[in-house]
Amino acid sequence: AQKITQTQPGMFVQEKEAVTLDCTYDTSDQSYGLFWYKQPSSGEMIFLIYQGSYDEQNATEGRYSLNFQKARKSANLVISASQLGDSAMYFCAMRTTYNTDKLIFGTGTRLQVFP
Amino acid sequence: DSGVTQTPKHLITATGQRVTLRCSPRSGDLSVYWYQQSLDQGLQFLIQYYNGEERAKGNILERFSAQQFPDLHSELNLSSLELGDSALYFCASSAQGLNTEAFFGQGTRLTVV
């Protein structure tokens, strides 16, 4: 069965510091995609970054990078140089070849950035 | 703007009633997903349609149903509403494929009183 686990309900980070949000996943498929989304207090879901299971390099998008460790089945999001506007909920999600029609999400991590 | 439109943005209704949530996907996207997000919870996958056909089903109650129309817009029908159905309901759309991200609408906040 597919499952996404985010074990950190909440994280705090000081402005300009880096922070890592954890995500582990469970699937027996060899081909899958991993996504991170941000949900600010306004409620909308914003796509941040994607990592494919066969991608040899870790994905990066601006200040976001994905620390992908396939053997450990982890796909941690790293935010560098945190900004106050990064305060939000962050969700990890997965889609697999077994069921490309299903995008499942973890329970999320609430990140708070303080000055 | 994600290109996905959900209406209404807010809905307040009484227990036992029925409501319909509407979603227009991004232009060109054939897949539509529905998710339920209760207070401070993650996103629970409800159901997914692709080009008018149901493709995947999650934890959707029997009181809930959905469909996707020929013009690709989708509706989620919630009936015999209970207080516990109060939540934010998201619609998302995507192109077909493993690596395609889903674009989300702004959500419909349903409050059952």
Side-chain angles (χ1 to χ4, degrees):
Chain A
Q2 301 168 245
K3 189 177 180 183
I4 293 280
T5 302
Q6 294 180 256
T7 57
Q8 307 156 311
M11 291 283 286
F12 288 88
V13 66
Q14 190 167 30
E15 206 176 2
K16 299 179 186 174
E17 296 295 308
V19 63
T20 298
L21 306 183
D22 294 343
C23 171
T24 57
Y25 58 91
D26 187 20
T27 179
S28 54
D29 284 337
Q30 296 302 306
S31 183
Y32 49 87
L34 297 157
F35 304 79
W36 276 93
Y37 284 82
K38 171 184 179 182
Q39 186 179 38
S41 57
S42 52
E44 72 266 33
M45 294 289 290
I46 303 166
F47 166 73
L48 295 178
I49 195 167
Y50 165 82
Q51 179 83 43
S53 58
Y54 291 117
D55 293 342
E56 293 185 354
Q57 293 198 331
N58 288 339
T60 60
E61 288 286 348
R63 294 186 299 109
Y64 304 109
S65 61
L66 206 151
N67 184 359
F68 181 47
Q69 298 188 43
K70 198 168 179 176
R72 291 187 173 189
K73 291 191 174 178
S74 74
N76 299 337
L77 177 70
V78 180
I79 305 174
S80 63
S82 297
Q83 301 172 357
L84 296 178
D86 294 333
S87 295
M89 281 289 285
Y90 289 81
F91 292 98
C92 181
M94 176 173 67
R95 185 188 267 138
T96 73
T97 51
Y98 172 72
N99 194 342
T100 57
D101 300 309
K102 204 169 180 178
L103 182 63
I104 63 163
F105 284 78
T107 52
T109 296
R110 183 172 298 281
L111 175 67
Q112 296 198 50
V113 182
F114 59 94
Chain B
D1 183 4
S2 67
V4 179
T5 304
Q6 283 188 254
T7 55
K9 285 189 170 50
H10 301 275
L11 197 50
I12 301 175
T13 189
T15 54
Q17 294 298 306
R18 172 190 169 94
V19 297
T20 297
L21 313 183
R22 183 187 168 102
C23 169
S24 293
R26 232 169 41 119
S27 177
D29 285 350
L30 300 181
S31 283
V32 169
Y33 305 79
W34 286 97
Y35 291 89
Q36 179 193 57
Q37 185 179 32
S38 301
L39 192 63
D40 288 333
Q41 297 292 311
L43 279 81
Q44 295 294 318
F45 171 74
L46 295 179
I47 198 163
Q48 189 255 343
Y49 281 83
Y50 177 79
N51 202 20
E53 292 188 5
E54 181 185 305
R55 277 290 182 93
K57 217 165 183 176
N59 300 321
I60 187 166
L61 299 173
E62 285 191 12
R63 300 183 286 109
F64 297 180
S65 65
Q67 55 184 330
Q68 187 179 28
F69 294 87
D71 66 352
L72 301 178
H73 92 270
S74 179
E75 292 181 355
L76 179 67
N77 301 296
L78 314 176
S79 61
S80 302
L81 284 167
E82 302 174 359
L83 296 178
D85 297 327
S86 296
L88 187 54
Y89 291 84
F90 281 108
C91 166
S93 75
S94 76
Q96 189 72 346
L98 186 65
N99 62 345
T100 55
E101 69 265 33
F103 293 87
F104 281 75
Q106 298 273 25
T108 293
R109 182 162 297 284
L110 173 67
T111 303
V112 182
V113 296

